[in-house]
Amino acid sequence: MPSASKTIVAPASTAAAADGAAAGAAAAAAANGDRLPLELDAGLLLSVDPNPLDANLFPSSSSSSSSAALIDEHLHERVQQATQSLFNAVFSLPVSRHPDHGPIVTLPPPLLTLPREKPLPKAKPLTKWEKFARAKGINKRRKDKMIFDDDQQEWVPRWGYKGANKKEEEQWLHPVKANADDDYSPARAAKRARKDRKLKNEGQRLRNLQRAAAADASGGSGGAGAAGSKSKGGRR
């Protein structure tokens, strides 16, 4: 039963099995008119029997071993009926043909809403720039990865291999000041400046994260600190 596609393979004798099971279920319902119907959810392959065990079916005069055997037999019968009803509901759905798996049915949306496995994620604290942008109404716009180079008349990457940010390092002509050193290399200077900008941006990003984390921690403990100072003042 491939769970990813939520499909189940239908046997070839589906119609005959469904008719026989339906007749058996009808007979059982007629014999037990006071029993509650099964709760079926084909989307989750779930079958729930809400009826409690009937104590009258298990005489108290019997021994513990025979009573346990009767209970096991009764539970096995009810589980078999619930499972058969679930398969009848599944195999009554529209059937399609698969070239490898044969006849299959697609499960409907679940009726039962399952709770979350994990709690909701906490909101990330805003950085200094995000707070400033929100206060000024600045909308963050993601930069395109490709930009148009007017000199080459083609689209080039903004960063990375043959990126536009390395244009000053790879150009064939560089202006050099008259008082520059003899071993001065404009390409190396441009590369060093680019790496310095990268380190500066990364350092600023880390400082923003630390500042936001510290602000979040101080905000969470501010109430406790205020309460503690108030209680100390009261004791004085």
Side-chain angles (χ1 to χ4, degrees), residues 36-232:
L36 297 175
L38 296 174
E39 300 175 2
L40 301 178
D41 190 346
L44 294 177
L45 295 178
L46 176 65
S47 178
V48 179
D49 188 351
N51 299 284
L53 292 178
D54 189 359
N56 298 326
L57 299 177
F58 316 111
S60 58
S61 59
S62 59
S63 61
S64 59
S65 59
S66 60
S67 178
L70 290 175
I71 293 176
D72 290 342
E73 182 180 358
H74 180 68
L75 291 177
H76 183 272
E77 180 182 356
R78 291 180 61 172
V79 169
Q80 184 178 6
Q81 293 177 359
T83 306
Q84 185 62 58
S85 299
L86 175 62
F87 273 82
N88 293 342
V90 171
F91 293 143
S92 64
L93 299 172
V95 180
S96 59
R97 291 281 176 177
H98 192 276
D100 298 330
H101 303 291
I104 60 174
V105 294
T106 301
L107 300 181
L111 301 177
L112 179 64
T113 302
L114 298 178
R116 287 180 59 92
E117 179 184 1
K118 298 179 181 179
L120 292 173
K122 297 182 179 179
K124 294 177 60 177
L126 297 178
T127 62
K128 184 178 180 181
W129 162 250
E130 290 173 344
K131 293 180 181 179
F132 174 78
R134 178 172 295 185
K136 297 296 183 179
I138 301 175
N139 296 324
K140 182 179 179 181
R141 185 177 63 86
R142 190 178 184 87
K143 294 183 178 180
D144 298 330
K145 294 183 179 180
M146 304 293 291
I147 60 175
F148 188 76
D149 191 342
D150 295 332
D151 298 336
Q152 302 180 14
Q153 291 297 310
E154 62 180 3
W155 291 91
V156 296
R158 185 184 295 271
W159 305 283
Y161 178 67
K162 293 185 178 181
N165 61 333
K166 302 183 182 67
K167 185 176 181 179
E168 295 182 1
E169 306 171 18
E170 300 174 354
Q171 62 185 8
W172 65 276
L173 182 63
H174 294 271
V176 179
K177 294 183 179 180
N179 58 351
D181 297 335
D182 296 338
D183 58 347
Y184 174 77
S185 174
R188 286 200 301 267
K191 184 176 182 179
R192 190 183 307 111
R194 176 175 59 85
K195 290 189 175 182
D196 291 343
R197 289 194 302 269
K198 182 178 179 180
L199 293 176
K200 180 181 178 181
N201 293 336
E202 180 65 17
Q204 183 65 33
R205 186 184 70 85
L206 295 177
R207 285 192 296 271
N208 288 338
L209 293 178
Q210 293 176 358
R211 188 182 297 109
D216 184 62
S218 62
S221 60
S229 61
K230 184 176 180 180
S231 61
K232 290 180 181 179

